[in-house]
Amino acid sequence: MSEMTKVYEEKMSQSIRHLEKELAAVRAGRANPAVLDKLTVDYYGTPTPVQQVAAVAVAEARILTISPWDASLLRAIEKAIQTSDIGINPTNDGRVIRLVFPAPTEERRKQLAKDVQKMGEEAKVAVRNVRRDALDKFKAAKKAGEVTEDDLKKLEEQMQKATDKAVKEIDKVCEEKNREIMEI
């Protein structure tokens, strides 16, 4: 029985991992290398993620340093940061680019918290969609005579437990991110 639910439980886990990745890119006032995850730079004609052409490190709580392995990329990385939606102006000293993360205002923190809740709700919807798909599959299997009525009930219960667990995990992840955002 549980083989039938494993696939759907994995899809729910993927939704949670996706949410965690999205939340990592939310700027909470601390220096976080994940804000550069979606940033690419033109490296010999190929769009390449910044992390693959430079060493990215957290120098202090609010300062991120980017040290390109190829000095010719300094301007390209700086330009990519300026044109991105990161919202931080880079400082270039000729060897290293520094990103100084300002502490967000109270209003900005409240907006970020709302954004986090919205992302959490979207993840919950994705999890519930997985549950719905699973239940539809199980009912079709029952109709086809592949599972009994009792087995169907057990599968439905297992999916509900998996859904509840995933929703609880999503709430926990969002709560942690909101705590990080509201920290001054």
Side-chain angles (χ1 to χ4, degrees):
M1 274 315 116
S2 63
E3 312 85 49
M4 290 180 82
T5 61
K6 282 280 185 262
V7 175
Y8 298 105
E9 289 173 17
E10 178 54 34
K11 285 182 180 180
M12 289 179 181
S13 294
Q14 286 172 353
S15 295
I16 295 169
R17 285 193 300 272
H18 177 75
L19 172 68
E20 288 170 337
K21 196 171 181 171
E22 290 288 307
L23 290 180
V26 172
R27 204 161 53 91
R30 276 206 198 110
N32 183 350
V35 299
L36 301 174
D37 281 354
K38 295 177 183 158
L39 197 65
T40 59
V41 64
D42 186 36
Y43 186 58
Y44 296 109
T46 309
T48 311
V50 170
Q51 283 94 331
Q52 291 182 14
V53 295
V56 179
V58 179
E60 293 173 32
R62 295 190 187 278
I63 299 175
L64 199 62
T65 59
I66 304 164
S67 313
W69 293 305
D70 182 350
S72 65
L73 287 172
L74 268 172
R75 301 278 322 128
I77 293 172
E78 187 176 17
K79 191 174 200 113
I81 292 169
Q82 288 169 337
T83 57
S84 72
D85 62 354
I86 293 174
I88 298 176
N89 229 358
T91 319
N92 181 349
D93 68 3
R95 283 190 353 254
V96 175
I97 295 173
R98 284 183 181 72
L99 292 178
V100 179
F101 289 71
T105 63
E106 184 69 24
E107 190 177 310
R108 177 75 179 133
R109 282 202 295 271
K110 285 179 180 169
Q111 183 58 49
L112 287 170
K114 277 184 192 170
D115 292 348
V116 166
Q117 286 310 115
K118 184 172 179 263
M119 289 176 188
E121 283 307 312
E122 288 169 1
K124 287 179 189 177
V125 167
V127 164
R128 290 182 190 122
N129 285 342
V130 169
R131 178 189 60 195
R132 188 195 60 229
D133 293 347
L135 295 181
D136 289 350
K137 271 276 191 304
F138 300 156
K139 287 175 186 165
K142 158 104 177 48
K143 226 177 217 166
E146 296 166 19
V147 295
T148 65
E149 186 71 37
D150 289 343
D151 289 343
L152 177 64
K153 287 279 181 244
K154 284 179 188 160
L155 287 168
E156 287 174 348
E157 284 173 19
Q158 285 177 347
M159 280 317 301
Q160 189 55 52
K161 282 180 185 168
T163 303
D164 294 343
K165 183 179 166 205
V167 166
K168 223 178 249 170
E169 180 68 20
I170 289 169
D171 286 338
K172 192 178 112 211
V173 167
C174 288
E175 193 178 305
E176 285 171 12
K177 188 64 180 185
N178 276 331
R179 202 173 307 121
E180 181 187 326
I181 290 169
M182 289 305 178
E183 227 170 64
I184 298 176

